[in-house]
Amino acid sequence: MGYLNNSVVTVDAILTTRGRQLLAQNDGSFIITQFALADDEIDYTLYNPEHPSGSAYYGQAIEGMPLLEAFPNETQIMKYKLTTLPRGTAKMPILDVGYTNIVIKQGASLAITPQTLNYLGGNQSETSGYTATISDVRLFNTFDGVGINTADATALNTSTTTLGTNVSKTVVGTTINLTATTVNTLFGSNTSLSATLVIEGRDSGARIQVPVSVTKVS
Amino acid sequence: MSFKAFETDDFVVSADSITAGLWTGNSPELTAFYTSSTQVASSNGAYYINVYNSESYEDIQFAIAYGDVDGSGSLEFDSAVAGKSPSSTNYGQYRTLVLGDENAEFAFGGVTAPNFYAISIDRNRYKEGLFPGSTTLDLKVGSNTISLTDNSQVVTSVEFNDAGRVFQLVSGSAGTVVDTTSTGGGTNGYSASGSYGLFLPDIATYLLNPSALDAAVSDGGILLSTTRGDNVDSANAGRLYNAFVDAASFTANSEETITSDFIFVRPRSSEFNYSENPSFISGSTGEVLYSSFINNPTTYITTVGLYNNSSELLAVAKLSTPLPKDFTKEALVRVKLDF
């Protein structure tokens, strides 16, 4: 007979940049209602299901690893979420947005309609839609999500951003509409501007990051 | 699904009192005292003098001000208007702050006084207030010394005024009162002129009773020699500062109430057993890395994200080591969020 391990893992949380912003707004938007888990930093190729010492040692190379402290930038953490799928899942949901790299001319528009492959027995659009985060909202005159009409999604899509400042913006929808900026001064002496677009399935947790370039026309 | 909604009993709010040393570097005792000649000579030097812990003059520890109801002990603003000087301004300022009545008088242990010394702790030194029972304030003039503390440990009911809790400053140290009746003082650690002052922890201020400090040693004083001349700069604040320098010890703790939100994160056995981590997937079509992961996947929790209804990441917590999760395991992670 031995003692049961009844310890509870306790961790200190930090507010993200977005969390601090919503807390400062004091409009009731800072209400924690749900959680997600992620395995950022884990390399599953270190998992060894053929370890000669047996199954207790399969995760030996992972389980003792030290982890980095949390980053407050919400775009740099919770990248790889753990998901709840039926036992026996052989293929993980993956996102297909039709692009591996987006190059768009100044003033041009683009509609992105993501599809989730291997999800609920096929390839389909997720019921709760997708979140799309652009790392620098200045690159687009419009950056909207359409197709999800819940109050939360609408609030997110109409939320204000700091004009003229390099900040990210997140929208929700089944289709993401982009119109590249027409502001020449943003380019300075450059011929193109770059950012990253992260799209995440709200049901599956599947995630894809696509580089985005806006090229100067004149 | 990658999100799971919290239930009502997943949240617990707790408030804990945290104490720390009051002075720079969380040191509980201040042993070196310096003033800046520049500050003392400036226009606000007529009202108060700042006390530093080193000659680099980086961190103000506290300020000393002298207040007098008649404006005595400092130069009048205008000689044509008697009784209006920085000391009367100080007196009125603290009277409003502490007593909340322009006609009230300060009383130290039941003995009214026309003047006081105010020791105002710098805002950067304390968190929320001062911790009652932690003060040992030493003063020395010549060979006469006295240690003062607050009587919070012996009072049976706490008094309140417009500045919150009020305790008397009495002879003693670290909350322990020393009776001075055998040496000519009053009972309960008082002097023959009442208590040695007021301790106002909620505004991080001590008000010292000049009469008690000026009294003879046989009456419990240290012969501080506060001067109350009309329209004359008596530098009384500097007089008290010298008593600090000679005694070389001022001990106190700060106090802060930390409100913590404890959030219990409970992934059940059937949840969060697959990962969108690219290394969990083999190839571009989404196959899991190992065939054993199809029926017996193992994931490792490293990060807990807390979201609002719009799925915006509000707070994040990292575990110190990866926590294994599979269909045979449930986890309980308590996340602490301080405000």
Side-chain angles (χ1 to χ4, degrees):
Chain A
M1 190 180 77
Y3 289 102
L4 292 172
N5 182 359
N6 62 351
S7 62
V8 176
V9 178
T10 302
V11 290
D12 288 335
I14 61 164
L15 297 184
T16 62
T17 308
R18 181 63 177 158
R20 287 201 302 270
Q21 186 184 352
L22 294 180
L23 192 62
Q25 281 178 209
N26 195 28
D27 60 359
S29 52
F30 187 93
I31 299 176
I32 293 169
T33 59
Q34 53 186 344
F35 72 91
L37 304 174
D39 57 4
D40 295 0
E41 299 178 54
I42 298 297
D43 178 0
Y44 284 95
T45 61
L46 297 172
Y47 188 85
N48 182 6
E50 296 171 355
H51 196 289
S53 300
S55 56
Y57 295 87
Y58 289 175
Q60 183 184 42
I62 296 175
E63 287 164 19
M65 69 181 284
L67 297 174
L68 299 173
E69 291 180 317
F71 307 121
N73 185 336
E74 62 274 1
T75 65
Q76 299 303 320
I77 201 157
M78 296 297 294
K79 284 182 173 178
Y80 308 122
K81 291 191 178 69
L82 303 184
T83 63
T84 300
L85 294 170
R87 195 168 194 167
T89 298
K91 286 187 174 183
M92 296 300 297
I94 55 175
L95 287 193
D96 178 14
V97 295
Y99 301 92
T100 55
N101 182 27
I102 295 173
V103 179
I104 185 170
K105 288 182 180 176
Q106 212 180 350
S109 296
L110 181 69
I112 298 172
T113 304
Q115 285 274 304
T116 305
L117 313 181
N118 312 325
Y119 186 60
L120 299 179
N123 304 337
Q124 55 190 293
S125 180
E126 296 185 23
T127 310
S128 301
Y130 300 85
T131 60
T133 302
I134 186 74
S135 61
D136 186 350
V137 72
R138 298 177 304 170
L139 269 61
F140 296 97
N141 283 349
T142 57
F143 181 73
D144 296 327
V146 295
I148 300 294
N149 298 315
T150 63
D152 296 326
T154 304
L156 196 58
N157 289 340
T158 56
S159 67
T160 55
T161 55
T162 308
L163 294 176
T165 307
N166 177 8
V167 294
S168 65
K169 184 180 181 183
T170 300
V171 296
V172 169
T174 52
T175 296
I176 312 300
N177 293 319
L178 317 170
T179 303
T181 182
T182 54
V183 179
N184 279 331
T185 52
L186 271 180
F187 288 83
S189 58
N190 300 318
T191 55
S192 69
L193 296 172
S194 299
T196 55
L197 175 66
V198 176
I199 299 178
E200 227 176 284
R202 300 185 80 198
D203 293 329
S204 69
R207 178 182 190 272
I208 189 169
Q209 180 169 314
V210 183
V212 179
S213 292
V214 177
T215 54
K216 193 175 182 182
V217 172
S218 58
Chain B
M1 295 291 286
S2 54
F3 293 99
K4 182 178 179 182
F6 284 112
E7 296 174 11
T8 309
D9 58 0
D10 289 334
F11 295 92
V12 174
V13 177
S14 165
D16 297 314
S17 176
I18 306 293
T19 62
L22 182 60
W23 312 114
T24 293
N26 286 337
S27 171
E29 184 181 16
L30 189 64
T31 56
F33 303 80
Y34 299 92
T35 56
S36 161
S37 56
T38 306
Q39 189 270 327
V40 172
S42 69
S43 58
N44 58 32
Y47 294 86
Y48 63 89
I49 56 176
N50 285 328
V51 178
Y52 300 80
N53 61 331
S54 75
E55 287 185 286
S56 60
Y57 306 113
E58 289 174 353
D59 295 332
I60 298 171
Q61 305 299 303
F62 61 89
I64 302 174
Y66 173 73
D68 193 298
V69 68
D70 298 323
S72 302
S74 58
L75 292 172
E76 292 167 349
F77 298 120
D78 186 334
S79 57
V81 183
K84 301 300 179 191
S85 70
S87 68
S88 65
T89 300
N90 285 340
Y91 188 93
Q93 180 183 27
Y94 279 93
R95 181 171 56 190
T96 304
L97 187 66
V98 177
L99 304 178
D101 180 352
E102 72 278 15
N103 297 311
E105 293 178 300
F106 283 97
F108 301 105
V111 178
T112 58
N115 55 353
F116 59 76
Y117 290 101
I119 298 168
S120 179
I121 308 299
D122 188 77
R123 177 67 191 90
N124 291 326
R125 303 284 78 79
Y126 69 94
K127 309 285 194 303
E128 196 172 278
L130 302 183
F131 184 48
S134 67
T135 295
T136 303
L137 191 163
D138 290 350
L139 297 172
K140 183 177 182 184
V141 176
S143 60
N144 307 322
T145 62
I146 192 165
S147 284
L148 304 178
T149 189
D150 61 81
N151 67 349
S152 60
Q153 307 300 305
V154 297
V155 293
T156 52
S157 63
V158 179
E159 291 178 39
F160 286 83
N161 64 16
D162 275 30
R165 293 171 293 170
V166 185
F167 299 101
Q168 302 295 325
L169 280 175
V170 296
S171 173
S173 62
T176 302
V177 178
V178 174
D179 196 295
T180 56
T181 48
S182 61
T183 57
T187 56
N188 301 322
Y190 283 22
S191 75
S193 308
S195 73
Y196 289 91
L198 302 178
F199 172 54
L200 307 164
D202 297 325
I203 61 168
T205 297
Y206 300 84
L207 296 182
L208 298 186
N209 177 6
S211 297
L213 300 175
D214 293 342
V217 175
S218 58
D219 289 330
I222 55 171
L223 296 172
L224 183 63
S225 305
T226 304
T227 304
R228 298 192 66 215
D230 290 341
N231 198 20
V232 58
D233 183 3
S234 303
N236 285 324
R239 223 176 287 274
L240 183 64
Y241 164 71
N242 290 334
F244 273 109
V245 172
D246 290 346
S249 180
F250 186 1
T251 303
N253 283 354
S254 64
E255 183 179 31
E256 180 182 25
T257 302
I258 299 280
T259 302
S260 302
D261 214 351
F262 287 103
I263 304 169
F264 291 91
V265 174
R266 309 171 202 262
R268 306 299 299 271
S269 60
S270 61
E271 299 168 338
F272 301 105
N273 293 320
Y274 293 88
S275 171
E276 287 294 337
N277 189 312
S279 69
F280 193 86
I281 298 167
S282 170
S284 58
T285 55
E287 291 98 344
V288 294
L289 181 63
Y290 302 114
S291 57
S292 62
F293 276 2
I294 296 174
N295 286 307
N296 295 302
T298 297
T299 55
Y300 290 92
I301 303 167
T302 64
T303 315
V304 179
L306 306 175
Y307 293 81
N308 63 8
N309 272 338
S310 300
S311 301
E312 293 176 285
L313 183 59
L314 305 180
V316 67
K318 288 291 289 282
L319 276 60
S320 56
T321 55
L323 187 65
K325 177 75 183 71
D326 59 38
F327 275 102
T328 68
K329 291 189 176 82
E330 295 197 342
L332 174 57
V333 180
R334 187 174 65 174
V335 178
K336 186 175 176 222
L337 196 56
D338 291 338
F339 290 96

